[in-house]
Amino acid sequence: MTEMPNGIFEWIWFIATEYSDLFITGTIITLNVAVSGTVLGFLLGFLLGIAEDSKLTKADPLVKKIVMTIVKGISKVYVEVFRDTPMIVQAMIIYFGIKMTGFDISPIMAGILVTLLNTGAYMAETVRAGIKSIDVGQREGALAMGMSPVSAMIFIILPQAFKNIVPEMANMFLTNLKMTSVLNVIGVKELFLQAKTAGGTYYRYLESYLVIAAIYFVLCFVFNRIFLLIEKKMNGKKDYALAVEYMENNE
């Protein structure tokens, strides 16, 4: 008969090794849901943010005015609903709501959908604020040079706004990585649910949760460092001198 561990640290090591397959599976599913939902949510947020920032003029066709008014109205309702309700409640409503329609959706797909919609709501506001942070003269200058509003947005405004948006994008991904834990309520076998399963065998829940706490910490720490490097690369080098200073020093 295998001798049982003594003390909390022995139990942590025992559970981590005994149920390593569960924890690896949970980590993969957690990353799958977080990455897929966040990337798709960013795309949705960008589209909604751009739509929110778009301006209508008297010269625009009536059809365009009607369509954009409807899109902006739906966007505002969607953003408010998903920003003002808990993700765990959204997961329950979306998963069981879709099930009631007769469509057989898997827990993982439902989890990705919830993460996508939640991310899109927050990113829509972030993108809109990022676009607003760019001086209005940039847009006016581009239009004065003959660029269309769409071209000005794609080639002039968005590349500059993107730098301001990146830090919030990184924070959103890290939040989603941790918030996948609430998706266990709809049966997504992410890290938290796997830890629950592992801890229940010997009723050592504390040790099991400490194992996934360490996994979450490592994941967030690594991704945070990656995002910091990306942000640093985008900001460019800091060791430069102004042309005026260079000329003065060389006179």
Side-chain angles (χ1 to χ4, degrees), residues 7-23:
I8 187 171
F9 295 109
E10 287 188 13
W11 270 107
I12 290 172
W13 178 254
F14 175 78
I15 289 175
T17 53
E18 185 76 9
Y19 297 99
S20 58
D21 290 345
L22 287 180
F23 293 122

Side-chain angles (χ1 to χ4, degrees), residues 3 22 27 30 59 68 74 88 102 113 135 144 154 164 191 202 217 222 231-232 238 246:
E3 185 179 348
L22 287 180
T27 301
T30 293
M68 290 306 300
I74 293 174
I88 190 171
L113 180 58
D135 190 274
I154 294 174
N164 299 331
L191 271 172
Y202 297 98
F217 175 81
V222 170
E231 189 178 345
K232 187 177 179 181
K238 298 296 183 181
Y246 179 81

Side-chain angles (χ1 to χ4, degrees), residues 5-99:
N6 291 315
I8 187 171
F9 295 109
E10 287 188 13
W11 270 107
I12 290 172
W13 178 254
F14 175 78
I15 289 175
T17 53
E18 185 76 9
Y19 297 99
S20 58
D21 290 345
L22 287 180
F23 293 122
I24 291 171
T25 300
T27 301
I28 293 171
I29 292 175
T30 293
L31 287 172
N32 180 23
V33 172
V35 172
S36 302
T38 305
V39 170
L40 293 173
F42 285 160
L43 296 176
L44 176 60
F46 265 93
L47 292 175
L48 293 177
I50 293 171
E52 280 288 323
D53 183 71
S54 63
K55 303 290 189 297
L56 294 172
T57 64
K58 292 181 179 180
D60 289 329
L62 180 60
V63 174
K64 181 181 178 181
K65 291 179 180 178
I66 293 173
V67 171
M68 290 306 300
T69 301
I70 293 173
V71 169
K72 286 187 176 186
I74 293 174
S75 176
K76 285 183 183 297
V77 173
Y78 156 67
V79 169
E80 286 299 325
V81 169
F82 276 86
R83 281 169 63 95
D84 298 338
T85 55
M87 189 172 174
I88 190 171
V89 176
Q90 296 165 12
M92 298 288 278
I93 292 173
I94 289 173
Y95 180 64
F96 291 108
I98 293 176
K99 284 280 190 181

Side-chain angles (χ1 to χ4, degrees), residues 52-242:
E52 280 288 323
D53 183 71
S54 63
K55 303 290 189 297
L56 294 172
T57 64
K58 292 181 179 180
D60 289 329
L62 180 60
V63 174
K64 181 181 178 181
K65 291 179 180 178
I66 293 173
V67 171
M68 290 306 300
T69 301
I70 293 173
V71 169
K72 286 187 176 186
I74 293 174
S75 176
K76 285 183 183 297
V77 173
Y78 156 67
V79 169
E80 286 299 325
V81 169
F82 276 86
R83 281 169 63 95
D84 298 338
T85 55
M87 189 172 174
I88 190 171
V89 176
Q90 296 165 12
M92 298 288 278
I93 292 173
I94 289 173
Y95 180 64
F96 291 108
I98 293 176
K99 284 280 190 181
M100 285 180 65
T101 65
F103 186 79
D104 187 21
I105 187 171
S106 67
I108 290 180
M109 288 304 299
I112 291 173
L113 180 58
V114 173
T115 307
L116 182 167
L117 293 173
N118 205 271
T119 302
Y122 282 94
M123 285 307 301
E125 289 298 294
T126 301
V127 171
R128 186 182 63 81
I131 293 173
K132 291 286 185 184
S133 69
I134 305 303
D135 190 274
V136 69
Q138 299 277 344
R139 191 196 303 263
E140 292 174 350
L143 296 176
M145 291 175 63
M147 296 181 72
S148 68
V150 175
S151 297
M153 177 63 70
I154 294 174
F155 297 108
I156 304 297
I157 307 301
L158 282 182
Q160 297 179 75
F162 191 71
K163 290 184 178 181
N164 299 331
I165 296 169
V166 166
E168 184 56 32
M169 289 173 63
N171 289 335
M172 195 74 229
F173 172 73
L174 295 176
T175 298
N176 285 342
L177 194 61
K178 292 175 284 186
M179 286 300 291
T180 53
S181 59
V182 306
L183 299 176
N184 75 92
V185 297
I186 59 173
V188 179
K189 296 180 180 179
E190 41 65 59
L191 271 172
F192 183 82
L193 189 58
Q194 301 288 21
K196 217 171 166 184
T197 302
T201 307
Y202 297 98
Y203 297 98
R204 307 297 299 200
Y205 291 104
L206 173 62
E207 292 83 352
S208 186
Y209 293 144
L210 285 172
V211 171
I212 64 167
I215 295 172
Y216 278 122
F217 175 81
V218 171
L219 289 175
C220 291
F221 182 85
V222 170
F223 279 112
N224 190 40
R225 292 300 174 275
I226 292 172
F227 289 133
L228 287 174
L229 285 174
I230 293 173
E231 189 178 345
K232 187 177 179 181
K233 287 288 184 183
M234 291 185 67
N235 289 334
K237 295 181 178 181
K238 298 296 183 181
D239 54 339
Y240 61 85
L242 294 174

